[in-house]
């Protein structure tokens, strides 16, 4: 059995960690770790880093090297990375082509700011905007997703002359003082006056956990097990009902035709890989535009081919936004983000001076160009579709096998697995049990994230270079851990 080989490799020698070369690992050998000891790192962390910076796992990992879909800790132990630095490492850790592009640029020019022209930002702007449909042809470079969403808020309010903005319950759009208002997770909110000023959180059209929705309501190869009242698969009854709730917010909570924008992730990321009911975003965009607003698509996690079928997640909703924000995978881990919009909307920034010191600097632009080249030349969007579809189908088999899995969802390599106490209520699995399962999966060599309001959704968003072999490895481990969990009635 494949799993028995994995276990043997993991635990055969107490002082030696053997590689996973039999199941897809390359011949890469990580450099010897020469930094502070593990204990010294813990001391520095406690004394000099803010206490809100929490590390994953009971005994945090000390990662010091990475190669493509693999990470290595200070002892040399290797892990299959299925979270990609929180959906950020898009094409692979230390990808040689990205590394080479950065090395070549760093020898020429680090930084000037855009008070002078330099070639890379212009080359990159042309290449990036060529990936967009319609009139989305103007880009403003920033450094993070929160910055990008901050700028999108500003653009929408200046351009429309309106103030009120809509976002969804369960959404995550950042943690700056303004984007915190867009984010609708109590676990991510501070008691700050004015954070919600002009922000309205509308009902989330979630087919699994929402009031309406079921087995015909999301655009995915894997549907929820929940029964659906839709009689015609081409028309989603849940969408009609959620749309009515959106109408009511506009009718009762806002001044007439005073909407600046609707913010929407194509698939909610931090919220637990939540997909909306079919057709909802397109209908919502039409309603918002009728009321004077814009559609802003947050592609921070869903962009750059991750969902497989399309390069951008919004294309899955058959709609062209007015503004698109992006970060994370855009730079494969390099600090880079962007806002793309139309020339007409972009002109509104001329009303005052607006400047970002580091946005689109030579290093960031060189990395951004290389990332786009790698995605195209190595066909990583196609790989996301192929490997992601396979992964979803294998996870669905585990859902059929283990009652603790309430839902499997997603598209491409943006996948969520929701753990529940029971399927009658779909109540979230207790955090104690979630953490036990999560820890054991890590111990056996696979790293995954967690999300959702209760932290009970496993977030699987790996570098897009992973293989079918890697998926088989992960499934074997998930199967083993879940079997031991259910056999032991919650004790692993």
């Amino acid at each position: 059995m494949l799993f028995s080989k994995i276990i043997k490799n993991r635990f055969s020698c107490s002082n030696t960690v053997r590689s996973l070369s039999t199941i897809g690992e390359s011949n890469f050998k990580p450099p010897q770790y020469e930094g502070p000891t593990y204990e010294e790192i813990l001391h520095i962390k406690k004394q000099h880093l803010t206490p809100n910076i929490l590390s994953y796992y009971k005994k945090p990992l000390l990662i010091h090297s990475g190669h493509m879909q693999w990470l290595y800790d200070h002892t040399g132990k290797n892990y299959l990375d299925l979270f990609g630095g929180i959906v950020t490492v898009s094409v692979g850790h230390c990808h040689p082509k990205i590394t080479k592009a950065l090395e070549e640029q760093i020898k020429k020019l680090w930084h000037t700011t855009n008070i002078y022209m330099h070639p890379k930002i212009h080359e990159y702007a042309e290449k990036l905007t060529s990936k967009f449909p319609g009139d989305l042809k103007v880009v403003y470079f920033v450094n993070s997703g929160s910055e990008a969403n901050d700028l999108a808020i500003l653009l929408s309010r200046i351009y429309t002359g309106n103030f009120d903005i809509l976002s969804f319950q369960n959404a995550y759009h950042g943690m700056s003082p303004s984007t915190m208002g867009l984010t609708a997770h109590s676990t991510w909110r501070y008691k700050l006056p004015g954070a919600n000023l002009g922000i309205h959180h509308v009902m989330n059209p979630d087919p699994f956990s929402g009031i309406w929705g079921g087995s015909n309501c999301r655009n995915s190869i894997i549907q929820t097990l929940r029964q659906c009242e839709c009689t015609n698969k081409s028309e989603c009854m849940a969408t009609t009902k959620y749309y009515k709730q959106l109408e009511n917010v506009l009718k009762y909570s806002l001044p007439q035709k005073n909407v600046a924008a609707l913010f929407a992730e194509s698939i909610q990321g931090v919220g637990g890989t939540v997909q909306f009911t079919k057709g909802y975003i397109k209908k919502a965009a039409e309603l918002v535009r009728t009321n004077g607003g814009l559609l802003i698509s947050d592609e921070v996690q869903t962009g750059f081919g991750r969902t497989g079928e399309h390069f951008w997640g919004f294309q899955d909703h058959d709609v062209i936004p007015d503004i698109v924000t992006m970060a994370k995978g855009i730079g494969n881990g390099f600090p880079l983000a962007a806002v793309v919009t139309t020339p007409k909307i972009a002109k509104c920034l001329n009303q005052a001076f607006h400047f970002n010191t580091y946005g689109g600097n030579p290093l960031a632009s060189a990395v951004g160009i290389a990332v786009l080249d790698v995605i195209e030349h190595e066909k990583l969007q196609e790989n996301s579709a192929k490997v992601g579809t396979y992964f979803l189908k294998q996870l669905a088999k585990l859902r059929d096998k283990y009652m603790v899995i309430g839902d499997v969802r997603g598209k491409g390599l943006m996948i969520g697995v929701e753990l529940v106490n029971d399927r009658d209520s779909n109540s979230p699995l207790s955090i104690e049990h979630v953490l036990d399962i999560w820890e054991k999966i890590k111990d056996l060599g696979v790293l995954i994230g967690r999300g959702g309001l209760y932290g009970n959704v496993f977030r699987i968003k790996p570098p897009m270079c992973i293989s079918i072999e890697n998926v088989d490895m992960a499934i074997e481990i998930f199967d083993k851990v879940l079997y031991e969990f259910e056999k032991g009635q919650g004790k692993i």
Side-chain angles (χ1 to χ4, degrees), residues 146 271 288 395 418 456:
S146 290
V288 166
L395 287 167
E418 183 151 351
N456 66 313

Side-chain angles (χ1 to χ4, degrees), residues 236-270:
C236 181
M237 300 299 294
T239 286
T240 301
K241 293 179 178 181
Y242 286 119
Y243 179 82
K244 183 66 176 178
Q245 295 302 307
L246 177 61
E247 281 186 318
N248 286 341
V249 171
L250 294 172
K251 184 185 300 181
Y252 295 110
S253 300
L254 279 72
Q256 290 188 355
K257 295 189 180 297
N258 190 45
V259 183
L262 168 66
F263 265 82
E265 299 164 88
S266 297
I267 299 175
Q268 291 178 331
V270 173

Side-chain angles (χ1 to χ4, degrees), residues 30-50:
Q32 185 75 27
Y33 178 69
E34 297 177 349
T37 66
Y38 187 87
E39 290 71 24
E40 288 171 338
I41 291 287
L42 289 178
H43 177 75
I44 294 169
K45 174 179 168 58
K46 184 177 180 179
Q47 295 296 319
H48 300 295
L49 293 177
T50 58

Side-chain angles (χ1 to χ4, degrees), residues 38 85 92 97 143 216 229 233 287 289 334 337 363 373 383 393:
Y38 187 87
K97 293 181 180 178
N143 308 294
N216 292 311
E229 62 180 327
K233 290 186 178 182
L287 180 60
R289 285 167 173 160
F334 197 91
L363 300 180
D373 286 341
N383 194 62
K393 289 180 178 179

Side-chain angles (χ1 to χ4, degrees), residues 68-115:
M68 302 306 286
Q69 61 267 53
W70 300 93
L71 288 173
Y72 303 83
D73 70 12
H74 66 297
T75 71
K77 183 176 179 179
N78 53 332
Y79 298 87
L80 177 63
D81 181 12
L82 295 186
F83 201 28
I86 314 183
V87 208
T88 298
V89 179
S90 52
V91 302
H93 293 282
C94 300
H95 192 292
K97 293 181 180 178
I98 312 296
T99 302
K100 182 180 179 182
L102 182 58
E103 287 176 344
E104 289 178 352
Q105 182 59 46
I106 209 168
K107 294 174 183 177
K108 297 177 183 177
L109 181 68
W110 283 35
H111 183 70
T112 65
T113 75
N114 295 314
I115 56 174

